[in-house]
Amino acid sequence: MRFVTVAGPPSVGKTSVILRAIEVLAGTGVKVGVVKFDCISTRDRQLFERAGVPVAVGLAGNLCPDHFFVVNVQESLAWGKRAGLDLLVCESAGLCNRCAPHIRDVLAVCVVDHLAGVETPQKIGPMLTMADVVVLTKGDIVSQAEREVFSFRVRQANPRAVVVPVNGLTGQGGDHLARLFREAAEVPTLEGAQLRFSMPAALCSYCLGQRRVGADFQMGNVRKMEFPA
């Protein structure tokens, strides 16, 4: 079974572009399923079910959604095999703009939208800089000049990535993304697979439920800023 991870900040259009690619793939007889990772709630299950796409949903609750993703990704692959899928897409929200873990030897897609501003590609971090494919959405809302500058900034941040503009409403560009999905590597197992970069490390009093503010209540992995005098 082929396997793809799709990451990006909330509301950039990840689900829409995945559905557009699936439309193309379904027309060629490829059976695609999706595992959707999110935080508190999601309505995307209904969108995938309405499109006839097998879907499983995991909600991280008060856990980091990307740590939640890593803990459950091997089981996601096993579910896809049981469902008889040809291709499994795992969608994860990179809320901190650093996480959304990419896995070595697994096609990694990052979705960003033009409305975030031309400085955004320099702010996202490994979610974008270590992706194989960067999908640009909502380009129809900005000018041609803004699209060109944004695309240039993406290529500065990740020169080796394939950059694919996709319109989630009209489907333009979905065929290109579908072709890249179809060319993803077969992944027999993720047991022992390695992330492309280490996850953010933090275990502090707030991770363990502390709610009070102040140095007396801060323990563990705590980093303080230095302020000018």
Side-chain angles (χ1 to χ4, degrees):
M1 184 180 67
R2 302 185 188 279
F3 183 53
V4 176
T5 61
V6 178
S11 301
V12 295
K14 296 184 296 295
T15 299
S16 294
V17 300
I18 291 170
L19 282 168
R20 290 303 184 179
I22 289 176
E23 286 177 6
V24 177
L25 292 169
T28 64
V30 178
K31 186 177 181 181
V32 186
V34 175
V35 176
K36 166 78 178 190
F37 290 95
D38 219 320
C39 294
I40 299 173
S41 66
T42 179
R43 296 180 179 178
D44 290 348
R45 180 194 294 274
Q46 293 90 327
L47 296 176
F48 288 118
E49 289 178 343
R50 197 177 305 142
V53 178
V55 58
V57 173
L59 298 178
N62 60 352
L63 299 178
C64 166
D66 294 310
H67 285 76
F68 182 70
F69 165 84
V70 174
V71 170
N72 289 281
V73 70
Q74 169 70 343
E75 289 76 9
S76 299
L77 191 71
W79 171 79
K81 290 181 177 180
R82 290 196 304 272
L85 303 178
D86 301 309
L87 169 69
L88 176 65
V89 179
C90 272
E91 177 187 341
S92 177
L95 297 180
C96 71
N97 278 345
R98 184 199 185 279
C99 303
H102 299 316
I103 303 169
R104 289 183 181 177
D105 302 319
V106 172
L107 183 69
V109 180
C110 176
V111 183
V112 290
D113 76 82
H114 289 86
L115 295 182
V118 295
E119 303 298 331
T120 297
Q122 278 70 39
K123 299 177 180 179
I124 291 182
M127 181 171 65
L128 185 150
T129 60
M130 302 192 78
D132 302 306
V133 178
V134 179
V135 175
L136 310 183
T137 61
K138 305 179 186 177
D140 56 318
I141 303 177
V142 300
S143 68
Q144 176 66 25
E146 288 173 297
R147 288 195 296 271
E148 291 178 2
V149 171
F150 194 89
S151 180
F152 174 74
R153 293 290 174 82
V154 166
R155 288 185 170 88
Q156 280 185 316
N158 187 344
R160 67 179 187 83
V162 178
V163 179
V164 184
V166 178
N167 188 313
L169 296 178
T170 67
Q172 185 177 6
D175 54 342
H176 188 181
L177 184 60
R179 185 165 64 253
L180 294 170
F181 279 10
R182 193 184 298 116
E183 294 170 354
E186 296 274 352
V187 180
T189 181
L190 289 171
E191 190 69 36
Q194 288 190 322
L195 299 176
R196 299 190 186 192
F197 57 95
S198 60
M199 300 282 284
L203 184 59
C204 69
S205 49
Y206 298 109
C207 296
L208 301 175
Q210 177 62 262
R211 298 172 64 185
R212 291 172 291 181
V213 176
D216 290 344
F217 310 109
Q218 297 168 354
M219 296 176 292
N221 193 342
V222 177
R223 179 184 297 174
K224 290 289 191 179
M225 293 173 56
E226 290 186 10
F227 292 90

